[in-house]
Amino acid sequence: MQAVNIGILGLGTVGGGTAQVLQDNAAEISKRLGREVRVTAVCTSNANRAKELCPQAAVVSEPTDLVTREDVDIVVELYGGTGVAKEVVLQAIGNGKHIVTANKKLLAEYGNEIFELAEQKNVMVYFEAAVAGGIPIIKTLREGLAANRIHSIAGIINGTSNFILSEMREKGAAFADVLAQAQKLGYAEADPTFDIEGHDAGHKITIMSALAFGTPVNFGACYLEGISKLDSRDIKYAEELGYRIKLLGITRCTEKGIELRVHPTLLPESRLLANVNGVMNAVRVKADMVGETMYYGAGAGSLPTASAVVADIIDICRNIGAGQDNRVPHLSFQSSQVKPQKFLTIDEITSSYYLRVQAADEAGVLGKIATLLAEQGVSIEALIQKGVLDCTHAEIVILTHSTVEKNIKNAIAAIEQQAFVSEKVTMIRMESLHG
Ligand code: HSE
């Protein structure tokens, strides 16, 4: 069979890994695929790196010169972001090129436009590497679980945040100190906002939510709360109560609408997700027929991410002759069945909660707090007083049963108005992840 020709936009960490996987595993890949995959062009300003990694490829410095080439069948977009990457992906699709991308931001924010144009032009846009790096979660949601109605997805899908939380727990260190260490080790960017404030995880859970529930991608509906305000005291108290705190991306289909959110979350320490540490990623999917399944692996890094990129290249090669109707649809469901649905605001979601209240250590305080929670219909699951801070104040840690978020926020507002409360109440959502 005729070789398939690849053009790679960007030869950074993932681009370099992609070139390496295609070269080192060329024989294995062509045994599986029945044809050769050739890198015919790369777009980079580093000609020496290009010559070293892809000696046979033409080197161009303008993306437009790559996506218009006759000898490129599949464009691998590894620029990231939504500026040049968006322009060039739309241009490539317009020219009839298939796309493989690791760009979660592009798809979470502009995926609907991109998939629509791809269908018009009868090309495929594959994006396994955009979510959880080397874990084949896109293929799992679109194909492996295709017989199921998916109930919920919960994932540790940002390695940087997971590394920071793991270190804070193990060493009792403060957020800022661990972030500085992560930056030194190269796990966190010089500007870490995207990772630590939940944007990266938000893009990934937005994509998974669309695949799970048959909606257009809707990043605007995703609630984002990062880890930068987490106090190591709460990690310690949570641990004493048998919980770990993880940054989770969560999406859930409820009778009232779809929940789509990213935030620090208490998890019982016995759950698999609670034991995913360091930079590793994991995704738990709950579906009606198969029940609970878990996927674990490297969420970033040159070769793990390239593994996903090259798997997409192989899939596209296999599907080139299949025609639109016989391909796996971009968003899992036939495009005529991808319909806007109601997404819940964060105040409408249902969760249980961890609260830490700093209050005067005097008679009646606990009773009053319990009353204010009860007035909002919030039921207490556990309540402990964590020692006296300065002979006059105590920290009270409360775990609640499940309630609508608006109720807990009303109760917190009432608690904060009490004269005996000396600082803002800390609130962290909890998930039991019952099978
Ligand atoms: N920066 C991401 C992480 C990897 O820390 O997991 C790429 O999405």
Side-chain angles (χ1 to χ4, degrees), residues 104 130 157-161 187 189 195 200 204 281 299-300:
K104 64 226 79 168
I157 44 181
N158 183 264
T160 308
S161 302
Y187 291 152
E189 305 281 343
D195 287 317
D200 175 74
K204 293 167 182 167
N281 280 202

Side-chain angles (χ1 to χ4, degrees), residues 2-13:
Q2 218 185 340
V4 172
N5 296 327
I6 310 297
I8 303 180
L9 290 167
L11 267 193
T13 309

Side-chain angles (χ1 to χ4, degrees), residues 226-280:
I227 60 168
S228 61
K229 295 193 176 63
L230 260 190
D231 191 316
S232 49
R233 261 182 306 174
D234 295 308
I235 295 179
K236 184 166 149 273
Y237 294 161
E239 185 150 31
E240 287 173 23
L241 290 161
Y243 291 83
R244 304 257 167 94
I245 300 182
K246 295 290 181 187
L247 183 73
L248 289 194
I250 298 173
T251 189
R252 180 178 285 135
C253 190
T254 77
E255 280 174 5
K256 290 185 289 172
I258 295 172
E259 296 184 358
L260 180 57
R261 47 195 168 103
V262 173
H263 49 72
T265 312
L266 267 78
L267 292 176
E269 66 191 0
S270 57
R271 300 284 179 263
L272 285 174
L273 267 186
N275 292 283
V276 171
N277 291 314
V279 293
M280 299 307 281

Side-chain angles (χ1 to χ4, degrees), residues 5-23 37-45 49-50 53-54 57-67 69 71-79 88 98 100-102 306 309-310 313:
N5 296 327
I6 310 297
I8 303 180
L9 290 167
L11 267 193
T13 309
V14 180
T18 300
Q20 185 183 335
V21 171
L22 286 172
Q23 187 171 316
V37 178
R38 282 197 310 230
V39 181
T40 47
V42 293
C43 182
T44 173
S45 54
R49 183 167 163 81
L53 289 167
C54 312
V59 184
V60 299
S61 52
E62 289 300 325
T64 240
D65 294 337
L66 185 137
V67 303
R69 288 178 74 97
D71 64 353
V72 168
D73 304 310
I74 302 174
V75 170
V76 179
E77 183 275 308
L78 300 171
Y79 281 170
V88 91
H98 303 288
V100 173
T101 179
V309 167
V310 174
I313 292 173

